Amino acid sequence: MHAPELSLDEPHFASFFCVLGAVCAIVFSTLGAAYGTAKASVGICSMSIKHPRLIMKAIVPVVMAGIIAIYGLVIAVLLAGTLGNRYSAYKGFLNLSAGLAVGVSGMGAGIAIGVVGEAGVRASAQQPKLFVAIILILIFAEVLGLYGLIVAIYLFSK
């Protein structure tokens, strides 16, 4: 039995762009999460030398950086679930865009969380009144990744 002939709307390479979108989603968001975790952990290690009782309170940026990787994982799984034999170029490019949206915004959010987390952990150890302000800044950094997730879900559903 012969495979159906593909048209210009359904080229052979269209599914490649969906796979590329899934890879971009997980790789870039995980890179951002890893950077955020590493950078914030450096601040925690430095802070814990003089203030070991504050370690559990200082773990917040590490947890928030880890959530960024989950955003990329969700989109990567959604994109991988749509793969099939017949795939339009339009859908392939939409899925690539969805993966890039969540991946690149996740990388930016992870970098922001790492930089703010490192400085914030050290500062809140010196001045405990800064803790709430640092958490608010971290939330704003986390929301950058959430914006990418929302755009990716919107593009995926087109």
Side-chain angles (χ1 to χ4, degrees):
M1 200 159 138
H2 295 258
E5 189 68 31
L6 296 176
S7 68
L8 290 176
D9 289 337
E10 295 177 344
H12 292 288
F13 59 83
S15 59
F16 167 76
F17 290 107
C18 179
V19 173
L20 189 61
V23 168
C24 287
I26 194 65
V27 168
F28 290 142
S29 63
T30 304
L31 281 173
Y35 181 84
T37 299
K39 189 92 168 141
S41 296
V42 168
I44 292 170
C45 291
S46 298
M47 178 272 312
S48 65
I49 294 170
K50 287 189 176 183
H51 306 281
R53 67 188 184 286
L54 297 176
I55 290 177
M56 292 310 291
K57 195 174 179 182
I59 206 86
V60 173
V62 173
V63 172
M64 293 179 85
I67 292 170
I68 297 294
I70 294 171
Y71 297 162
L73 177 66
V74 167
I75 295 301
V77 168
L78 286 175
L79 294 178
T82 64
L83 286 172
N85 290 336
R86 299 185 63 103
Y87 214 77
S88 72
Y90 174 75
K91 191 67 174 169
F93 289 128
L94 271 178
N95 289 345
L96 173 62
S97 300
L100 284 171
V102 73
V104 174
S105 67
M107 181 184 286
I111 291 169
I113 288 170
V115 170
V116 171
E118 181 185 17
V121 163
R122 292 178 187 203
S124 65
Q126 297 297 320
Q127 178 55 263
K129 292 179 183 178
L130 292 175
F131 183 73
V132 173
I134 298 301
I135 295 299
L136 285 174
I137 296 169
L138 285 169
I139 289 170
F140 288 127
E142 178 84 26
V143 166
L144 298 174
L146 187 61
Y147 294 155
L149 177 67
I150 291 167
V151 169
I153 289 172
Y154 181 74
L155 288 170
F156 173 77
S157 66
K158 287 304 235 171

